[in-house]
Every structure is written in C-alpha cells, then in structure tokens.
Amino acid sequence: MVFKSRTLDDRPVVLEIADLSVRLAGDADARPILDKVSMTIRAGETACLVGESGSGKSVTALATMGLLPKGTLEASDGRILLQGRNLLGLGPQAMRDVRASLVSMVFQEPRTALNPVMRVGAQIEEVLDAHMRLPKREKTRRVHDILHQVHLPEVERIYASYPHQLSGGQRQRIMIAMALILKPRLLIADEPTTALDVTTQKQILSLIAELQDKHDTAVLFITHDMGVVAEIADTVHVMRDGAIVESAPAGQLLRAPEQDYTRTLLKAVPSLAPRPARAAAEGPPVLEVDGLGKLYGRGRWFSAKAATQAARDVRFSIARGRTLGIVGESGSGKSTVARCILRLIDPSEGSVRVAGTEIARLSRRRLRPHRKHIQIVFQDPFRSLNPRWSVGQSLMEGLLNCGMAKGAALARAGELLALVGLPEDAADRYPHQFSGGQRQRIAIARAIAMEPDVLVADEAVSALDVSVQAQVLDLLDQLQKKLGLAIVFITHDLRVAAQICDEVIVMQKGVIVEHDTAANVLARPRDPYTRQLIEAAPGRGWDFANFRALQPAEEQEARPSPSME
C-alpha cells in the first residue's frame, strides 16, 4: 500500500482559492452553488476533492478553468489565484492563454472529450498550435515524446489512430498527454479513473504520480473513491452542498475524521472482505450456461484480420435467490457473456437455458415471449432511459408490449416506484429531473417490471458515489430477498463483488480462470491473475469503516518526496 507522508509547507503555492462563491447567473437571491470555498495547493502536492454527486466538486474545477457555462453559472465572490494571478479577473483571450500552459484538466470520460473524427496525434498538436508556432517536424517530435512519457505502446500507430480504435485506458492516457504537453503548473483530474478496471486504474494513478514527480506539478484530483484517496492524496478536502466541511492531511482524515459527514462517507466504502456465506439455494438453476463462445470477425471474406475469440467455453449456473459475480479487466469478455445470455448478441456456440428453456438458438420472433424471464440494468441509466419519455412511460413499455391493459400498467408503474423507494408522482417526471442514483433506481424498476427470474446488472453501480452505491446495493439485496431473483453481477470493483456476490467468476481474455465462492476467490485466490486484480485494488490496505490501516504505519511504504529540480 502506498501511503504518503511528506512535508509540503516549504513548497511554493500554485493554486489558492479564497472564499469562492458561485451562483445562478442573474439571480442574486438564489442559494449559492458554491459557498465560500477555500483551499491551497502547493507544487508537487496532490489534493483530493471528495464528496457525493452534486456537492460542488466539478463546479469548483470548472470555475478554476474558466469553463462555467456562460449565462447559467457565474462566480459572484472570492478569488482564484494561480501563481498569484487572479483568474476571475481575466478576459476570454487571457484565459485561453492560461489553459494548457499553466492549468490543464483531464475529464472523466475521454470518449466524449476527444473528437471522434480526428486522429489523436492531430488533437494533441492542436494544443501546441493554440500556444506556439512550431514546424511540423518539431510538433510531431513533441507529440511522440509525450506519448512515450505516458507509456503508450506503438507510438506511431497510436499517433495515427482515431479514439474509437483505442482502449479506455489508452484514451485516458491520450487525455493526460494533451493536458501535460505544455508542462502546466496545475493539473485538474475530474474522476479520471471512475470507469476503468482496477489494473488500468492503477496504471493511470501511477502515471499521474510519475509525471507529477518529474515536473513538480500540483494536482487537484476529484474523486468519490476513498480507495484512490488513500493511495494518492497528500491533502483531502471534503465537500457537501457547495461548501468544504473538512480539510486535513490524508492520513489524519482517514484515521480521525472530525465531521459526521466524512465518517459517513468512509463507512459507506465497501470492504474487500467477502460478506458471510449464505446457505446454498434449493431448487434447480434458473440460468444454465454451457460451453458458451463468441467469435467476432468470422465469415468476412475480404478481411485481413483474424477472428477474435471474445468468449470461449464459458460454463456456470445460478439458482433463484443467488448472486453470481463476473469480474475481470476491460476486454476480458464479461459484457460479451452478459449480452450473449440476454441474446442482445447471438452466441457462436454453446447453450443458454433460462427458466428451463433453451434460448441460444431461438429466432428473434420465438425468443420474444421468453425475454421477460431475463432482464438487464445497464451502467449508465441516463443513456438507457428514453429522455423524451416520462418515467411512467418507460416503466409501462414492457408491460404494454406483453398485452397488459393501460390502466393496469399505470397502476403497476406506481407499485414499482414504491418498491424502489421513489414517490408515485415520479411517474410524471422525466429522467433529467432525477439524480444519478434515482435514475438507476428507475432502471432497476423497469428491469423488474416483467417479474424476471434473472437480473443482469452490468456495472450498475460503477459510476455512482459511495453512499449512493451503498443504497443501490442494499436495494438489490432487498429486491432479491423479496422477489427471489437470481442476479448476475458484472463489475470491475472487487469491493462491490465482495459485498453482494455468493460466487465469483474471474475472466481473462474470454476464458474463466477461476470460479468459486466469493470467500475463496477474494480471500484465498488460486490463479495469479486473480491475485493481480486484488493487489491492484486501490486502498486495499485500509479498513475505512473503522478508520484504521490494516498494517502498522511503520510498515507502510511512504512515497518519497519529489525532487525540486
């Protein structure tokens, strides 16, 4: 476990935010979005800004970057001093000169931050073009150099690639390269590892720390993952309702938090220790997968690419009332297996039996009446819910398609909302009027509307902050007990798998490398790949709920202070 213990008081101040307030534009009487936020970040320091969704973390970052939405939000008071220069007093052109050269930002989702129709090399060169005039050869050299620094393979190929041709981790490295190519004094990272698997996350965190040490960059790291905080933070600032409620060195805050809200956040972090084993379920399996395989690329006569085996010889079964977890890195085949058993894509081989019926080879027409037996909750409910439909319409869709009368379907929608802890009048509202956690509850309500035997949750809580995540996991547990659901839970977060799963499958390159009870897989792993995943889990050396390290402080590996050269 990496634990930072170093003195930063003698370092020069890079960023000082003093009494910053942000409000709705043109409404002096509105409650402030940010209320007198203050913090200081020094050269070489990593300051983590944590809090629940809606606490004001990203608004603080956007205000610092001068990217508050014009006409919607405005800074009404305070100062943002970057190396002594007040950014709030700068005009649009002066602020454009500051961005990338003195302060840069890495956003959460590189797929949306990168231009999909431009090669990534050209996108990095755009940053150079905005701030200096360089010959083409020199620009190319600098871009290649930064791509080497962020440890990307095959730099020539990456330089000429489009974003969709790269993995999620590679796209995030491109974003980091763009942010650091002009060696800014401050890097703002807004949830840059939230959607990444644990090994890629560890690589990105190590990369940011390496480049920070090399250039003595100050880092403002926005996250809801307290495991990441334990790994990288020098200082932690806790936000709630637009105000900073607690600030302290990382070790002090994790061991002795002063505020009840901070203690609540830490207690909500799921433990890596598996939950107590539940008794084996009685009755036959409701889902049986035997010899499942998926081959991409077969049958393309003129394609030079070899076929890709995304899944091979996958076998498992699950009984009613049980939860099976599938974990692994991005590209391991988890989601491919999920989509095959749901028949969102057709398996190339093998058998899938749901509630006693073989569905792997059914035609789309014959498959339709069997779909109600297996439903899915996707990672992003905002994308999976129709933004033009009210919540009631989304909940009623499947019921109406299966022949239920409109009045009965409307009454059932109200029952479903109550079941997932939402008011009945939520049926008349639209997805954008709810928080992320509430939207996921709506997605769960839609999935259970058809009273399925099997519920597939594909990274259903990975984008939620820890307190909302805990609420959604508790909801799934309650629904499972009440409805007798079998749950296939796909995740890259081993902490979540430990809290909800009875059995765990570990996948690597389309193959199951380990399958056992959650206790055996997570506490006594047999396969080296499983051990690698567990070792990569951030903050695994902390018992957050009890505010203590799991090993003595003198045995913790302190991160060396970076050179001032």
Side-chain angles (χ1 to χ4, degrees):
M1 175 180 64
V2 177
F3 184 74
K4 298 167 92 171
S5 176
R6 52 192 182 140
T7 300
L8 293 161
D9 292 344
D10 58 342
R11 300 293 186 87
V13 173
V14 174
L15 177 70
E16 181 183 358
I17 300 177
D19 295 324
L20 175 65
S21 295
V22 172
R23 67 183 182 191
L24 293 173
D27 190 350
D29 297 326
R31 183 178 178 275
I33 307 299
L34 295 184
D35 189 11
K36 296 188 179 302
V37 170
S38 297
M39 71 175 73
T40 299
I41 307 177
R42 299 177 179 273
E45 177 182 0
T46 299
C48 281
L49 189 58
V50 302
E52 296 176 287
S53 299
S55 61
K57 306 186 301 294
S58 293
V59 173
T60 302
L62 293 174
T64 304
M65 291 291 296
L67 294 176
L68 290 174
K70 191 175 181 180
T72 303
L73 297 178
E74 63 183 10
S76 58
D77 197 10
R79 298 174 300 163
I80 302 176
L81 302 177
L82 183 63
Q83 293 187 314
R85 187 181 185 186
N86 189 4
L87 300 183
L88 294 182
L90 300 183
Q93 183 57 52
M95 196 65 218
R96 278 194 291 270
D97 293 338
V98 166
R99 292 190 202 107
S101 60
L102 292 178
V103 56
S104 285
M105 188 165 177
V106 178
F107 294 93
Q108 176 176 347
E109 179 46 73
R111 185 186 289 272
T112 56
L114 292 170
N115 189 329
V117 297
M118 284 183 66
R119 300 181 191 275
V120 296
Q123 295 189 56
I124 301 174
E125 287 179 357
E126 273 193 328
V127 180
L128 296 174
D129 291 336
H131 294 274
M132 58 184 66
R133 293 181 177 275
L134 293 173
K136 174 63 178 175
R137 181 175 296 180
E138 176 61 14
K139 282 193 297 184
T140 302
R141 186 195 67 78
R142 292 197 183 195
V143 172
H144 282 188
D145 180 59
I146 195 69
L147 293 178
H148 280 296
Q149 288 187 48
V150 298
H151 305 303
L152 281 165
E154 304 176 75
V155 164
E156 292 282 356
R157 179 184 65 81
I158 297 287
Y159 176 90
S161 296
Y162 291 96
H164 72 273
Q165 296 174 307
L166 307 177
S167 69
Q170 288 174 332
R171 286 194 293 266
Q172 199 60 284
R173 288 170 186 264
I174 294 296
M175 291 298 300
I176 294 171
M178 292 176 69
L180 294 180
I181 192 167
L182 292 177
K183 301 179 182 178
R185 301 304 302 142
L186 173 67
L187 174 67
I188 300 174
D190 189 359
E191 301 275 13
T193 62
T194 296
L196 303 178
D197 60 66
V198 288
T199 51
T200 306
Q201 182 182 64
K202 182 178 181 180
Q203 294 167 6
I204 295 297
L205 294 177
S206 298
L207 171 62
I208 291 175
E210 176 189 332
L211 296 173
Q212 178 187 27
D213 288 353
K214 184 175 181 179
H215 302 295
D216 207 30
T217 308
V219 174
L220 175 59
F221 199 101
I222 297 171
T223 184
H224 64 250
D225 189 333
M226 301 305 290
V228 170
V229 170
E231 293 287 336
I232 70 170
D234 292 300
T235 309
V236 185
H237 304 278
V238 182
M239 289 197 80
R240 184 183 189 186
D241 297 332
I244 291 181
V245 298
E246 185 167 1
S247 295
Q252 176 183 325
L253 184 133
L254 294 174
R255 288 193 175 93
E258 295 181 355
Q259 299 296 316
D260 289 340
Y261 178 68
T262 307
R263 287 192 285 271
T264 299
L265 286 181
L266 291 170
K267 285 180 177 292
V269 178
S271 170
L272 259 176
R275 73 177 184 183
R278 298 192 293 180
E282 298 180 359
V286 290
L287 173 64
E288 299 172 89
V289 177
D290 187 19
L292 180 70
K294 179 60 181 177
L295 191 67
Y296 288 106
R298 182 173 58 184
R300 296 180 182 178
W301 294 352
F302 300 105
S303 174
K305 293 183 178 180
T308 300
Q309 187 84 49
R312 183 171 74 252
D313 198 27
V314 174
R315 302 171 188 271
F316 62 84
S317 63
I318 180 170
R320 191 176 298 279
R322 304 284 285 179
T323 301
L324 172 74
I326 305 180
V327 303
E329 296 173 289
S330 297
S332 62
K334 308 186 302 294
S335 292
T336 295
V337 169
R339 282 159 173 75
C340 284
I341 63 177
L342 285 152
R343 283 295 306 275
L344 297 178
I345 57 176
D346 295 330
S348 303
E349 58 188 2
S351 169
V352 179
R353 297 182 67 84
V354 178
T357 300
E358 173 61 59
I359 67 168
R361 295 290 173 265
L362 290 181
S363 67
R364 297 291 170 178
R365 183 181 61 81
R366 294 178 60 198
L367 177 65
R368 185 173 180 179
H370 298 285
R371 287 199 182 278
K372 66 181 181 181
H373 294 293
I374 182 167
Q375 295 287 301
I376 185 168
V377 180
F378 292 101
Q379 177 176 353
D380 185 351
F382 196 74
R383 294 174 62 187
S384 61
L385 294 171
N386 189 329
R388 297 178 180 273
W389 281 11
S390 68
V391 167
Q393 287 176 290
S394 290
L395 296 182
M396 293 165 58
E397 179 190 17
L399 300 170
L400 295 174
N401 288 343
C402 288
M404 184 178 287
K406 186 174 182 180
L410 185 60
R412 175 63 174 157
E415 295 172 2
L416 291 167
L417 289 171
L419 199 58
V420 298
L422 291 174
E424 190 171 342
D425 63 5
D428 299 322
R429 293 151 63 188
Y430 290 83
H432 72 273
Q433 296 175 294
F434 295 89
S435 69
Q438 289 173 323
R439 283 195 292 266
Q440 198 61 291
R441 287 173 180 267
I442 294 166
I444 292 171
R446 185 180 63 174
I448 64 173
M450 308 302 298
E451 300 180 359
D453 298 291
V454 182
L455 182 67
V456 178
D458 190 358
E459 300 283 9
V461 298
S462 66
L464 304 177
D465 57 61
V466 287
S467 56
V468 177
Q469 184 182 83
Q471 294 168 13
V472 173
L473 292 176
D474 185 57
L475 172 63
L476 287 173
D477 187 55
Q478 293 174 23
L479 292 174
Q480 184 175 50
K481 291 175 181 176
K482 186 170 184 176
L483 305 175
L485 294 168
I487 298 177
V488 178
F489 199 92
I490 296 168
T491 183
H492 63 252
D493 190 331
L494 299 180
R495 295 180 185 277
V496 170
Q499 297 310 301
I500 198 171
C501 298
D502 298 294
E503 300 175 39
V504 173
I505 283 174
V506 181
M507 292 194 69
Q508 182 185 27
K509 298 179 180 178
V511 177
I512 293 176
V513 297
E514 191 157 354
H515 179 190
D516 207 334
T517 63
N520 284 338
V521 171
L522 297 175
R524 294 175 291 276
R526 299 188 308 272
D527 193 86
Y529 177 69
T530 309
R531 291 195 291 271
Q532 177 187 333
L533 290 179
I534 293 172
E535 289 166 3
R540 72 186 190 283
W542 279 90
D543 178 0
F544 293 100
N546 294 303
F547 317 126
R548 66 186 182 92
L550 295 177
Q551 60 190 83
E554 60 270 16
E555 294 180 13
Q556 295 174 8
E557 180 186 353
R559 176 181 167 182
S561 178
S563 169
M564 290 293 290
E565 296 179 3

